[in-house]
Amino acid sequence: MKRSKKMFTVMLALCVALSMAMASVTANAATKKPKKIYLKATSTTVDIKGKVKVSVYKTKPSKASKSVKWKSSNKKVATVSKSGYVTGKKKGTVKITATSKKRKKVKKTIKIKVTNLKAKSVTLNKKSASLLKGEKTQVKATVKGQTGFYNQGVTWKSSNTSVATVTSKGIVTAKKAGKTTITATEKGGSKKATCSVTVQPDLVVDANAKTVTITATVNNATAKSMHYVVNKNGGAAKTSYFVTDVTAKEFSAALEQISATAWNDNAEFDAKTADVAQAGTKTINELAKAGVGNSNYTKMNVNIKAGTKTIDMENTLSGAKANDNFSMIYSNVANNHNAGSGCLTCNTSCYAGVVTNELKTWADPFVPKNMPKKGTIVSITYTSQDAENYTDIAGVKAALADDNSVVLDARKAADYEDAHIAGAVSADMDGYVGKSITEAASDANVKAVVDKYGASKKYVLICYSGNRYAKAARRVLMNNGVKSSNITILTGGMNAWRSAGEALDHYNYTNAATTFDKLKDSSYVILDARKAADYDNGHIAGAVSASVDGYIAEGGNKDEAAANVKAVVDKYGKDKKYIVICYSGNRYAKVATGLLMNNGIKNANIQTLGGDDSQQSAAGGMKAWNAKYAGYVVAKHTSSGNFNFANGITPENLKADVDGSKVFTVMDVRAAKDYNPETCIKGAVSTPSSDEAAVMKAVNDNKNGLYVLVCYTGNAKADEARNIMVKNGVDESRIICLQGGMKAWNN
């Protein structure tokens, strides 16, 4: 018992001594005096007023104190803070000295050069802006430079201050219609960036336009009300509509900017409307001077926007029904002083404009609730009586089979030549949209078509998406005597036609041998358009999946199919050439070709794997490939260790390459000790998965290649090597796993 107590006392004493020793070691480490210190700077060059950081990055011995006192050799050139931040003062070179606080004899100096650094770049938050007179927009500049650069900001300038001005803070204010360039230039340097600003002109009459929108900001404290009249299909007014806080002057100015179609006293289109169409564009004042319409009445749809919320007149106006014709009736500018006078129940005697205070006292239904308040934006949209007519793909096909119809392609001539609907004729309308040609040239293109086929024909218009180019062609067709009722536009344009896999005038075909030659060509992408499950079951080595089955299968998800193709283009780029693979080179390939074109790939850069004769045949697609290169088919592979590989190759198929073309780089990813040139796969290179440098050397020795990873059983080591390659930017579609590894190969 006494012996046990004695041993316990000894052990306790040892523990205490050990604890004290460890504490001493810890304390000594924290207070250890350095023999040497080493400095580094975020940059050895600093701008005047710029800052760089100098710090002690190591000591000798390594765990010695890094606590130092900083000093500048010339504070007029640069100063240094207690934490090592150096601030440039004027041009010159300064020595920054760090002295150890634990051992003052230990010092280290670093030279810092102070000079005028220039910005590397100036960027703006917007490259262009479109404004109405009086509107403002904020343009923000970002200045970037090398480490130590001092950002002084930018100076702002407008190339035409009569169109728009810009403040020292980048606030742009629109003054009058026109274009100007806003330039931000770094202070003290030459780097700059620009923003193109367009101030829209007062809107004018376009008799053929469907919609034209203007905005008028209401901001006068003494404002009264704006008076709208709702007409039932051009008949008598049934309901009044009021917008508060609008002055007579403001309303009059707005009216001069609204596009219009003239009416007569009987609420019918005046015969002179045709003259307006022939004249092209006219302002309201010009119409009034020309005496168009007996009373200069106009007809238009009106939407009132309160902030971001649009008040739908069809649903909010008392007494109105869906599809009623809503109109704003007003007199010419000279009669605006009569605003509010007359009767609200007839077209002919009702002046529009600004109503008097007395009208505000009228009871419902004449004064709607929740009216826009002072400062809101009033958006007025003119709708012509000659609205566009649209058709679908079936309508286009019917027109192609109809001798009395002409299918007119309004896209750029180059895009028409690249690929178009067989039987369609070209009339480039870019003069009205992109301006690669003149408007006169576009007019001549349409006129030539009408001269050839006749104004009495029916015309179906094709453009990119069924919008701008087609609408421009429609107007010019009408100017050349074609009735609006004989003109229709394909909804969705060529985008819709191609997405549906409808036939183009031509497709480009290739054969299996040519496709084989492109396996390692980085300028090509092999796109497999088949069902995802069929891709997983077996596809061409290196091919990427983009199933378009959503367009083929009944009830399929077309949006998903389109997204699949878009994802491939987004990843690989529009400058690539694409070879499309499907089952036999027909339906799926045509849809994929159309979707590729919808994503900006030229038809000339798209090929379809057809039959051996390089043409569409029943033996194209994977049929053609399997007939000639079955050994180069890989499939989705799950190893016994549950590692999922997008591509896996059987020993039989790999043997076809090893003994033949040697398309693959065979990478033996087993441990180096297990690699034996005598017993490994012929031509395989040793790239242990534990050696990233060896793995990437094999990749770099055969860039854009197809890589087969060989491990023990096709499990962990192959997965490790794959992760290294993907991390370093190798496309996973080009990484192939030998199914079963060396074990399967040896068997």
Side-chain angles (χ1 to χ4, degrees):
M1 184 72 176
K2 289 182 178 179
R3 185 177 179 182
S4 298
K5 287 182 177 180
K6 189 175 182 180
M7 289 184 65
F8 175 77
T9 302
V10 171
M11 292 297 291
L12 182 62
L14 286 171
C15 289
V16 172
L18 182 61
S19 297
M20 292 177 68
M22 291 178 66
S24 177
V25 170
T26 303
N28 287 338
T31 59
K32 205 168 189 178
K33 296 180 180 180
K35 294 181 180 179
K36 285 186 178 181
I37 57 177
Y38 301 86
L39 304 180
K40 66 177 182 180
T42 54
S43 174
T44 56
T45 305
V46 67
D47 199 2
I48 297 173
K49 295 185 179 182
K51 289 186 178 183
V52 293
K53 179 72 164 63
V54 182
S55 59
V56 179
Y57 73 95
K58 72 174 182 178
T59 61
K60 192 174 182 179
S62 61
K63 293 185 178 181
S65 173
K66 293 183 179 179
S67 181
V68 297
K69 185 177 180 180
W70 298 98
K71 184 179 179 181
S72 169
S73 64
N74 191 341
K75 293 182 179 181
K76 292 183 178 180
V77 175
T79 60
V80 60
S81 71
K82 293 180 179 181
S83 55
Y85 282 99
V86 179
T87 302
K89 295 296 184 181
K90 72 175 185 177
K91 284 187 177 182
T93 301
V94 67
K95 294 180 180 179
I96 303 298
T97 302
T99 303
S100 172
K101 290 183 177 180
K102 298 295 182 181
R103 180 174 283 172
K104 294 183 179 181
K105 291 183 179 180
V106 177
K107 301 180 179 181
K108 190 68 176 178
T109 299
I110 189 171
K111 289 183 179 180
I112 302 294
K113 183 180 181 181
V114 181
T115 186
N116 283 324
L117 296 179
K118 304 299 182 183
K120 287 185 177 180
S121 66
V122 177
T123 58
L124 303 180
N125 64 326
K126 58 184 70 175
K127 293 182 179 180
S128 62
S130 179
L131 304 173
L132 294 168
K133 182 180 176 180
E135 283 189 326
K136 296 183 178 182
T137 188
Q138 174 74 69
V139 184
K140 297 180 179 179
T142 301
V143 183
K144 292 184 178 179
Q146 68 184 70
T147 303
F149 170 75
Y150 178 69
N151 184 6
Q152 303 180 60
V154 298
T155 58
W156 296 93
K157 184 179 179 181
S158 170
S159 64
N160 191 341
T161 55
S162 66
V163 173
T165 58
V166 60
T167 69
S168 60
K169 296 183 178 180
I171 298 173
V172 180
T173 303
K175 296 297 185 180
K176 72 172 187 178
K179 292 185 177 181
T180 186
T181 300
I182 305 298
T183 303
T185 306
E186 63 151 324
K187 291 182 179 178
S190 59
K191 295 293 183 181
K192 60 182 65 177
T194 61
C195 173
S196 177
V197 174
T198 301
V199 180
Q200 299 296 338
D202 293 347
L203 295 183
V204 296
V205 175
D206 184 345
N208 296 319
K210 182 181 181 182
T211 60
V212 178
T213 302
I214 72 146
T215 59
T217 302
V218 195
N219 55 15
N220 192 302
T222 62
K224 307 300 182 186
S225 299
M226 187 180 290
H227 171 203
Y228 293 101
V229 178
V230 181
N231 285 60
K232 304 287 185 175
N233 298 318
K238 302 296 184 183
T239 307
S240 307
Y241 189 58
F242 303 92
V243 179
T244 59
D245 299 322
V246 183
T247 67
K249 183 178 180 182
E250 290 168 333
F251 189 37
S252 173
L255 291 183
E256 294 176 9
Q257 300 175 9
I258 300 170
S259 48
T261 300
W263 283 53
N264 64 17
D265 291 347
N266 297 317
E268 298 174 349
F269 279 113
D270 191 88
K272 295 184 180 179
T273 300
D275 297 332
V276 176
Q278 294 170 3
T281 59
K282 297 281 187 184
T283 66
I284 292 293
N285 277 338
E286 288 172 332
L287 286 175
K289 291 177 181 178
V292 177
N294 293 338
S295 300
N296 297 307
Y297 289 147
T298 63
K299 177 184 175 99
M300 59 196 70
N301 287 341
V302 180
N303 295 314
I304 312 259
K305 293 184 178 180
T308 58
K309 181 181 178 181
T310 298
I311 301 173
D312 186 350
M313 295 181 66
E314 291 185 357
N315 297 325
T316 62
L317 283 180
S318 177
K321 298 179 180 179
N323 300 319
D324 277 353
N325 181 35
F326 303 105
S327 304
M328 182 174 73
I329 311 297
Y330 62 89
S331 67
N332 61 32
V333 176
N335 288 328
N336 272 322
H337 65 277
N338 292 320
S341 63
C343 171
L344 293 180
T345 60
C346 66
N347 263 343
T348 57
S349 63
C350 178
Y351 296 108
V354 182
V355 298
T356 62
N357 286 329
E358 288 78 11
L359 289 181
K360 286 188 173 182
T361 65
W362 288 12
D364 290 337
F366 298 102
V367 182
K369 299 178 180 178
N370 303 318
M371 297 302 300
K373 297 180 180 179
K374 174 187 171 185
T376 59
I377 294 177
V378 180
S379 177
I380 304 175
T381 303
Y382 160 74
T383 301
S384 79
Q385 294 300 293
D386 239 353
E388 293 90 357
N389 300 310
Y390 289 85
T391 189
D392 54 15
I393 290 174
V396 176
K397 291 181 177 179
L400 291 170
D402 182 8
D403 291 337
N404 195 42
S405 297
V406 178
V407 177
L408 187 150
D409 193 321
R411 299 175 301 149
K412 297 178 184 178
D415 294 327
Y416 173 88
E417 292 169 5
D418 184 55
H420 58 266
I421 300 171
V425 297
S426 176
D428 187 338
M429 296 304 298
D430 198 53
Y432 286 88
V433 184
K435 305 298 183 182
S436 65
I437 60 176
T438 64
E439 290 186 6
S442 289
D443 290 344
N445 291 337
V446 173
K447 186 177 185 302
V449 173
V450 176
D451 287 346
K452 181 176 180 179
Y453 296 97
S456 62
K457 297 284 189 180
K458 295 179 180 179
Y459 286 82
V460 178
L461 303 181
I462 311 295
C463 69
Y464 297 95
S465 60
N467 192 13
R468 296 178 299 166
Y469 285 76
K471 291 178 179 179
R474 177 181 179 273
R475 291 196 298 271
V476 180
L477 282 171
M478 292 172 65
N479 290 341
N480 281 274
V482 182
K483 294 181 179 179
S484 63
S485 57
N486 284 339
I487 306 172
T488 56
I489 298 171
L490 171 61
T491 302
M494 280 298 291
N495 290 349
W497 183 270
R498 294 188 298 238
S499 297
E502 296 295 340
L504 300 172
D505 63 312
H506 72 274
Y507 294 89
N508 307 304
Y509 291 94
T510 188
N511 55 32
T514 301
T515 303
F516 184 84
D517 291 339
K518 304 302 181 184
L519 289 181
K520 294 171 64 176
D521 189 335
S522 62
S523 65
Y524 279 81
V525 177
I526 299 175
L527 185 148
D528 195 319
R530 300 174 300 154
K531 298 176 183 177
D534 293 327
Y535 172 89
D536 290 343
N537 288 334
H539 57 269
I540 298 172
V544 296
S545 177
S547 175
V548 300
D549 189 60
Y551 281 91
I552 307 292
E554 186 175 351
N557 190 329
K558 294 182 179 180
D559 290 340
E560 181 180 325
N564 291 339
V565 175
K566 184 179 183 301
V568 172
V569 175
D570 288 345
K571 180 176 181 179
Y572 295 98
K574 297 179 182 179
D575 59 337
K576 299 288 188 182
K577 295 179 180 179
Y578 289 79
I579 298 177
V580 179
I581 310 297
C582 70
Y583 296 95
S584 60
N586 193 10
R587 295 183 302 162
Y588 284 74
K590 289 180 178 178
V591 171
T593 297
L595 293 174
L596 283 170
M597 293 178 69
N598 287 353
N599 282 277
I601 311 299
K602 293 290 185 183
N603 184 54
N605 289 334
I606 307 171
Q607 295 177 311
T608 296
L609 175 55
D612 288 338
D613 59 354
S614 299
Q615 298 295 320
Q616 178 184 339
S617 75
M622 284 302 294
K623 290 182 180 179
W625 184 264
N626 288 326
K628 195 163 185 174
Y629 299 104
Y632 292 87
V633 173
V634 298
K636 189 173 182 179
H637 170 58
T638 302
S639 72
S640 59
N642 293 321
F643 294 110
N644 292 312
F645 290 87
N647 299 305
I649 191 168
T650 64
E652 293 78 12
N653 284 1
L654 179 59
K655 191 174 187 302
D657 184 70
V658 170
D659 292 343
S661 301
K662 294 182 172 55
V663 173
F664 302 135
T665 294
V666 181
M667 299 168 59
D668 194 321
V669 299
R670 299 176 297 166
K673 64 181 180 61
D674 295 321
Y675 174 82
N676 185 339
E678 299 298 324
T679 59
C680 71
I681 297 174
K682 183 171 63 176
V685 293
S686 179
T687 56
S689 63
S690 60
D691 189 345
E692 181 171 340
V695 172
M696 293 312 301
K697 183 180 184 305
V699 171
N700 292 326
D701 286 344
N702 184 21
K703 288 186 177 180
N704 305 310
L706 297 167
Y707 313 99
V708 177
L709 308 182
V710 180
C711 67
Y712 298 98
T713 58
N715 286 296
K717 298 300 180 183
D719 194 55
E720 289 175 4
R722 177 184 62 177
N723 291 338
I724 290 171
M725 296 166 75
V726 172
K727 180 186 71 173
N728 284 279
V730 180
D731 193 329
E732 193 166 3
S733 68
R734 311 192 74 79
I735 305 173
I736 300 165
C737 175
L738 174 61
Q739 298 183 23
M742 281 302 295
K743 183 178 180 180
W745 181 267
N746 290 329
N747 288 337

